[in-house]
Amino acid sequence: MAVERENLLRVTRIYAEDAALELERGREIVARWPDAEIVPIASHWQIPEVHGDETNVARWVRIKTEALVLGVKKSVTTRVNGRSADFIAPSLSNGCAMACSYCYVPRRKGYSNPITVFANIEQISRHLARHVAARGPKSEPNQCDPEAWVYDIGENGDCSVDAMISENVRDVCDLFRMSPTAKASFATKFVNRDLLEWDPAGRTRIRFSLMPAATARVTDLRTSPMADRIAAINDFVDAGYEVHVNFSPVILTPTWLADWAELFDQLDAALHARAKAQLACEVIFLTHNEGLHDVNLGWHPKGEELLWTPSVQEEKRSQNGAVNVRYRHPLKAQAVAAVTDLIAQRLPYCRVRYAF
């Protein structure tokens, strides 16, 4: 289910920490929705009427559309990653207006996860500038990038959507634009063509998440259609972005391999030579969560027919004790080999950064 841009966010109430309203960025965001009700909160993590109330399951999408949260990020730290990025930057936001039914972010927030925007962007930017300066030039190439340190700036949200709410994303991308040793990176499922005007000078990597369109129509709710995401790649390359793709999540439907072959052919036909020359990908197979499965049954049970398939899944308990499920070994190993072989056949110019 795709949603028109103007209907993705129709904010009627803003839950705001006092500290966020005292900052310039917080005041700017409030000014964008002058008719919205301002609801004072003590903590962006603890909003009883939004988080932890199971009666909200039936209003899952409505809350994402109408509610916005303003907070101050308390822990401004950068973590080592090493997969798609060298480092995970402090989040600029948490939560999303879109509603992908497998998303891991709402597991921490209970029954809803509208966007929380962090207003202390100046503190976050100063931290990042110091971190980049302390690293200096990258001395050895790795799977993240051959030359630059890569910072994922959108771990807990979608920066393309966040850019419609505040200047946080642009501020950080502008910071990296002036950083010859580092670049920003974020994954997205939303085509925001306003970003084409930013002139990133090759210092921002956008990773468009792709999957077969028939599967996405069931699981990637309120996102840009797959055809729109593919069609945007050339334009973003031409605008000065580095554009990669995430083949994620790979969901083992009865026709999954044929569906992915069709997607790879569509991608190959759409990309121009410059886009192909710089393309790389990540392949990530579905991991689902028992608690999220139970929540999803209350608002989108059709999606769970694809995501919750115990006959081919096994339990994986996370470090925090949550019960996750993933495809059983050796089924997953065979599927990883099959899809990477298919990429080599259909998209031979596309480097696979990692597949798991």
Side-chain angles (χ1 to χ4, degrees):
M1 177 184 67
V3 173
E4 295 295 331
R5 175 174 174 149
E6 58 270 19
N7 292 324
L8 192 62
L9 285 166
R10 289 181 280 107
V11 177
T12 60
R13 61 195 179 284
I14 299 174
Y15 299 91
E17 296 177 353
D18 288 342
L21 292 175
E22 293 171 359
L23 295 169
E24 181 179 357
R25 184 52 42 88
R27 294 193 295 269
E28 289 173 359
I29 293 170
V30 168
R32 293 194 177 195
W33 286 279
D35 297 328
E37 175 189 7
I38 307 300
V39 182
I41 56 173
S43 169
H44 65 86
W45 281 112
Q46 298 174 7
I47 308 175
E49 64 190 88
V50 175
H51 307 147
D53 182 356
E54 64 181 86
T55 62
N56 280 331
V57 170
R59 301 172 59 244
W60 186 272
V61 170
R62 183 174 178 180
I63 290 173
K64 285 174 169 288
T65 303
E66 297 179 350
L68 183 66
V69 182
L70 284 183
V72 171
K73 187 167 182 60
K74 306 301 189 295
S75 177
V76 179
T77 59
T78 292
R79 310 191 324 268
V80 173
N81 181 245
R83 279 188 168 166
S84 64
D86 294 290
F87 303 104
I88 304 296
S91 296
L92 310 178
S93 68
N94 186 294
C96 188
M98 297 180 287
C100 299
S101 56
Y102 47 78
C103 180
Y104 64 87
V105 176
R107 299 175 195 172
R108 296 183 62 195
K109 281 194 172 182
Y111 289 91
S112 188
N113 68 325
I115 296 173
T116 297
V117 180
F118 296 125
N120 53 326
I121 184 61
E122 292 185 1
Q123 180 186 6
I124 293 170
S125 296
R126 288 194 300 268
H127 163 85
L128 280 171
R130 290 193 301 267
H131 197 280
V132 170
R135 300 288 77 72
K138 179 182 269 189
S139 58
E140 297 181 1
N142 61 13
Q143 71 174 26
C144 303
D145 194 87
E147 298 177 352
W149 297 111
V150 180
Y151 289 73
D152 192 317
I153 65 171
E155 181 186 33
N156 293 311
D158 191 300
C159 289
S160 295
V161 177
D162 293 347
M164 297 192 300
I165 298 171
S166 80
E167 298 299 312
N168 279 6
V169 179
R170 183 163 192 174
D171 286 349
V172 171
C173 289
D174 283 349
L175 184 155
F176 281 96
R177 183 178 185 274
M178 304 303 292
S179 303
T181 62
K183 63 177 65 170
S185 177
F186 62 87
T188 185
K189 298 176 183 177
F190 184 76
V191 178
N192 182 350
R193 290 186 170 271
D194 291 347
L195 276 61
L196 295 172
E197 306 300 322
W198 286 10
D199 188 20
R203 310 314 295 175
T204 294
R205 173 188 295 168
I206 293 182
R207 296 159 11 240
F208 281 104
S209 295
L210 304 178
M211 68 161 60
T215 303
R217 281 193 288 270
V218 179
T219 63
D220 279 26
L221 307 186
R222 293 166 58 81
T223 65
S224 294
M226 210 57 54
D228 291 359
R229 300 184 212 175
I230 292 173
I233 293 175
N234 289 342
D235 294 337
F236 276 82
V237 170
D238 292 343
Y241 290 90
E242 182 180 40
V243 183
H244 290 180
V245 288
N246 285 358
F247 298 131
S248 168
V250 179
I251 300 170
L252 299 186
T253 68
T255 60
W256 75 274
L257 196 57
D259 294 342
W260 280 97
E262 181 179 358
L263 175 70
F264 295 158
D265 289 344
Q266 292 168 349
L267 184 61
D268 179 65
L271 299 185
H272 59 35
R274 288 184 57 239
K276 291 179 179 180
Q278 54 88 71
L279 194 67
C281 74
E282 301 156 15
V283 183
I284 305 171
F285 278 70
L286 173 71
T287 297
H288 200 26
N289 174 267
E290 185 177 60
L292 184 59
H293 164 68
D294 292 338
V295 171
N296 286 349
L297 289 176
W299 76 278
H300 187 51
K302 184 177 180 181
E304 290 306 294
E305 296 175 9
L306 298 182
L307 303 180
W308 191 261
T309 52
S311 63
V312 296
Q313 290 171 327
E314 62 185 9
E315 181 178 305
K316 175 190 176 185
R317 192 168 292 272
S318 66
Q319 292 180 347
N320 64 8
V323 178
N324 298 330
V325 293
R326 62 185 178 187
Y327 294 118
R328 293 177 182 175
H329 187 81
L331 172 63
K332 181 176 177 180
Q334 295 168 349
V336 168
V339 76
T340 52
D341 286 348
L342 195 61
I343 293 170
Q345 295 168 15
R346 305 297 178 96
L347 307 170
Y349 44 84
C350 182
R351 175 171 61 91
V352 178
R353 181 176 294 111
Y354 62 84
F356 72 93

